[in-house]
């Protein structure tokens, strides 16, 4: 069972809504069963892994891979591009859409959050929330322990340093880190010859014009 168009639009609207709708509860229960099955597969069972991923997620590109365990509110609201990879303990709070581009690398213990709750105590007592989509561009590298908050877009080719809290969007071709995460510099000339701190490439990886 998939989410209806009405609920999908509501959950991506950024507006406050209640999460006690019977349809939401039914679909989420089915998704949790799929996720349980996915997390308990043997690593060697690649054919079944692929089949369950295609049922669990909104779309799965060619060569995409998600290590287990993985946690997700829905799964069916997350799309994976070609050859994208997520390491252990990915958490997807994907009430709204999470769009992950091609060739994205996600380190261990990363959390992607599309949902928040109103500050007003009376609305929290009514079990309400709001959800805003998250988008991650092609060829992004997200370091271990990163948390990405609702509404964030990360531009293609950018690198997010470990343990960053990403509350605002990050432009393409940037190195960004910190809590809150900020752009530290563009990806540029120095990156042609250095791969980590002051360590330089050698052999076949050395840059030549």
């Amino acid at each position: 069972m998939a989410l209806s168009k009405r609920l999908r639009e509501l959950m991506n609207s950024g507006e406050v809504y209640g999460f006690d709708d019977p349809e939401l509860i039914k679909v989420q229960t089915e998704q949790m069963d799929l996720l349980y099955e996915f997390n308990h597969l043997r690593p060697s069972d690649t054919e079944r892994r692929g089949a369950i991923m295609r049922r669990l997620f909104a779309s799965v590109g060619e060569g995409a891979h998600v290590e287990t365990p993985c946690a997700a509110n829905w799964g069916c609201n997350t799309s994976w591009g070609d050859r994208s990879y997520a390491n252990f303990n990915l958490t997807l709070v994907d009430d709204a859409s999470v769009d992950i581009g091609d060739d994205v690398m996600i380190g261990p213990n990363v959390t992607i959050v599309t949902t928040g709750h109103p500050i007003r105590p009376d609305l929290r007592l009514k079990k309400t929330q709001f959800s805003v989509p998250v988008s991650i561009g092609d060829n992004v590298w997200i370091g271990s322990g990163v948390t990405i908050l609702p509404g964030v877009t990360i531009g293609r080719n950018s690198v997010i340093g470990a343990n960053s809290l990403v509350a605002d969007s990050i432009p393409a071709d940037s190195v960004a880190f910190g809590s809150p995460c900020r752009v530290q510099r563009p990806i540029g000339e120095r990156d042609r010859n250095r791969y980590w701190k002051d360590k330089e490439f050698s052999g076949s990886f050395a840059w030549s014009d």
Side-chain angles (χ1 to χ4, degrees):
M1 179 178 180
L3 284 166
S4 66
K5 181 180 178 183
R6 172 186 69 85
L7 283 177
R8 195 176 293 278
E9 289 178 349
L10 177 63
M11 293 165 72
N12 281 281
S13 70
E15 301 296 326
V16 173
Y17 63 94
F19 54 88
D20 56 355
D21 186 295
E23 182 188 341
L24 286 176
I25 295 168
K26 178 174 174 55
V27 176
Q28 191 170 45
T29 299
E30 292 177 353
Q31 288 298 112
M32 291 298 100
D33 283 346
L34 271 177
L35 183 64
Y36 179 89
E37 190 175 355
F38 177 68
N39 280 327
H40 288 80
L41 290 173
R42 291 183 178 275
S44 59
D45 198 351
T46 55
E47 184 175 342
R48 194 168 171 217
R49 169 187 288 271
I52 293 177
M53 280 186 66
R54 288 188 292 273
R55 291 169 60 200
L56 176 63
F57 296 111
S59 62
V60 178
E62 183 179 355
H65 185 87
V66 178
E67 299 286 1
T68 55
C70 171
N73 273 18
W74 295 90
C76 61
N77 290 329
T78 295
S79 300
W80 293 92
D82 294 342
R83 300 170 301 280
S84 286
Y85 173 83
N87 214 320
F88 306 109
N89 296 316
L90 173 66
T91 297
L92 297 165
V93 185
D94 59 344
D95 300 277
S97 296
V98 175
D99 292 317
I100 298 167
D102 297 338
D103 301 296
V104 172
M105 295 193 300
I106 299 176
N109 302 309
V110 167
T111 300
I112 301 174
V113 180
T114 67
T115 294
H117 302 280
I119 300 298
R120 275 176 46 187
D122 64 310
L123 290 179
R124 293 203 310 278
L125 285 173
K126 293 179 180 178
K127 310 304 181 192
T128 60
Q129 63 187 41
F130 61 91
S131 304
V132 188
V134 166
S135 178
I136 300 171
D138 295 344
N139 201 31
V140 166
W141 173 25
I142 298 171
S144 62
V146 168
T147 298
I148 300 170
L149 296 184
V152 163
T153 293
I154 300 174
R156 68 191 317 271
N157 297 328
S158 286
V159 175
I160 308 298
N163 294 317
S164 294
L165 175 63
V166 190
D168 297 304
S169 293
I170 303 296
D173 301 297
S174 301
V175 175
F177 54 84
S179 184
C181 187
R182 296 285 183 262
V183 174
Q184 305 297 319
R185 61 178 179 83
I187 294 173
E189 189 68 28
R190 75 182 300 276
D191 301 297
R192 291 186 176 191
N193 295 312
R194 294 180 179 85
Y195 60 93
W196 182 59
K197 297 185 178 179
D198 289 327
K199 291 190 174 292
E200 295 189 358
F201 292 107
S202 62
S204 62
F205 293 104
W207 183 270
S208 60
D209 292 315

